[in-house]
Structure formats: structure tokens, C-alpha cells
Amino acid sequence: MTRERHFSPVDRLLLQADAALRTLLPFSGQPSRPSPAIVQPESELNAEQTQHIAGLMRINHTGEVCAQALYQGQALTAKLPHVRKAMEHAADEEIDHLAWCEQRIRQLGSQPSVLNPLFYGLSFGVGAAAGLISDKVSLGFVAATEDQVVKHLDEHLQQLPAQDQKSRAILEQMRDDEEQHASSALQAGGLRFPAPVKFGMSLLAKVMTTTTYRL
């Protein structure tokens, strides 16, 4: 029978530092699944289209940076072991999205947002605070956040040029995964946030998307 390893607070802080570096340093995240874009054909895009798509993918990349930080913060303060494991597992899955978006941004001749460290820190703090309040609130925050992400992905899918099948394949797979994360969080006992709270979260998300589109 395999014994579960128990980490000390110092061990967990070191693991969090390692996760932060893997999230923020270029090409540090290693996806467990190949990018859905690989099997899609190259398409001809003009300069304006390329710039716009790069901006959209940069927003999504920063969104995944925030998701990593949120899950890592929640895993650090989660009270129940199974909730902590769920957060860590979700963070692992989000690494795929992070890597796919970065790959596509580079293909488009652009780079991730310079604001990523700031958004990582803010999201980590929010996640840790939610975990300190209760696991139910923490899981509810995951569900509400993923709902916001799905809405943004729907908007971006509508804005993509029809010929850009590579970006579309990435965003469609991300959308499927994020919906599953939201559903799993609620099934695990997550709190359903009221509309005013979700509205406040949408305003904060608007700040992120507006700034990272160009930066």
C-alpha cells in the first residue's frame, strides 16, 4: 500500500514558488496533451488579422496564468485533502491551455503579456483567501471563474477569422475543458455565487482583458 507523502508548510511554499516560475517563464509549462492546432492547416492572414488574433490569444494566455495562480493559492489553503488534490489536478490540466496559447502567440509573431506577474500575484492572493474562508467558497469561486472564462472564449470564437482554424481548435478545446472544471467544482459542493458577486468578477475580468490585449 502506497503511503501518501505529507508536505510541511515550507515544502508547500517551495512547491508554490516552483509552480509560479513554471507558469511565468517562457516555454516552462509542459503540456500533457498535444495542441489541437497541430492537425489544422496553416492559413493566410493579413497584418491586421494577425495582430487581432495575437491580442485575443494573449488575453487567453493571461487568463490561464490567472487560473494557475488561483488553483495554486486555493490548494495551499484548502482544508480538506480531497479538495487540495482537486485543485492541484485542475492546475495540471490548465498547463495544457497555458502552453497551447503561448505556442500560438509565438507563431503569430507576438509575445505573452508583460502584466502576467501582476495578475498571477493578484489571483494567487484571491485563491488563497477563498481557501481560508472555506472549501465550499473556494470551489464556488472556481465555478464562477470558469463561467467567466467560457463567456470570454465564446466571444473570442466569434471574433476569429473563419480561416484561422488553428486558433479556433485551441479555443474550442479550452472551452470544453473549462465547462467541465466549472461543473466538477459545483458537484464537489461549491457554493453558487449570487449575481452581484458574479457581476463584480466580470468587471475585474474586463480590466484584465482590456489591458492584456495590447500589453
Side-chain angles (χ1 to χ4, degrees), residues 11-212:
D11 289 333
R12 291 195 176 280
L13 286 174
L14 291 175
L15 288 171
Q16 297 303 328
D18 177 68
L21 290 175
R22 286 189 290 110
T23 300
L24 296 171
L25 292 178
F27 301 111
S28 296
Q30 296 299 318
S32 60
R33 296 173 292 176
S35 171
I38 292 178
V39 297
Q40 299 299 327
E42 295 286 351
S43 57
E44 290 191 13
L45 302 166
N46 60 39
E48 182 179 355
Q49 289 173 324
T50 299
Q51 184 179 22
H52 180 56
I53 297 168
L56 297 180
M57 297 306 292
R58 184 159 43 248
I59 289 172
N60 290 307
H61 181 268
T62 298
E64 296 306 318
V65 168
C66 292
Q68 278 291 309
L70 180 68
Y71 286 131
Q72 294 295 344
Q74 290 168 316
L76 183 66
T77 57
K79 297 173 178 60
L80 297 176
H82 75 275
V83 173
R84 181 179 297 115
K85 287 183 178 180
M87 296 300 178
E88 291 171 345
H89 177 67
D92 289 340
E93 289 187 342
E94 298 286 356
I95 284 287
D96 289 351
H97 303 170
L98 191 74
W100 299 345
C101 288
E102 182 175 0
Q103 291 167 3
R104 187 58 181 149
I105 290 170
R106 303 289 184 183
Q107 290 171 356
L108 294 164
S110 192
Q111 60 187 12
S113 174
V114 297
L115 300 175
N116 281 345
L118 171 62
F119 285 115
Y120 184 96
L122 292 173
S123 298
F124 185 89
V126 169
L132 284 172
I133 295 171
S134 75
D135 289 335
K136 187 173 183 178
V137 169
S138 186
L139 289 166
F141 201 88
V142 169
T145 299
E146 297 292 22
D147 284 344
Q148 292 291 328
V149 172
V150 169
K151 291 179 181 178
H152 288 154
L153 290 171
D154 284 339
E155 293 173 0
H156 292 178
L157 284 166
Q158 292 178 2
Q159 295 181 43
L160 286 178
Q163 69 269 34
D164 184 13
Q165 294 302 311
K166 285 186 174 294
S167 299
R168 186 172 301 279
I170 292 172
L171 298 190
E172 286 178 344
Q173 184 59 59
M174 286 174 59
R175 188 188 187 286
D176 290 344
D177 293 345
E178 307 297 9
E179 276 194 326
Q180 182 58 50
H181 290 165
S183 177
S184 296
L186 291 176
Q187 290 175 6
L191 178 69
R192 291 184 181 273
F193 284 8
V197 175
K198 290 186 175 181
F199 179 72
M201 292 174 65
S202 68
L203 291 179
L204 293 175
K206 185 67 174 178
V207 173
M208 184 274 283
T209 58
T210 302
T211 55
T212 58

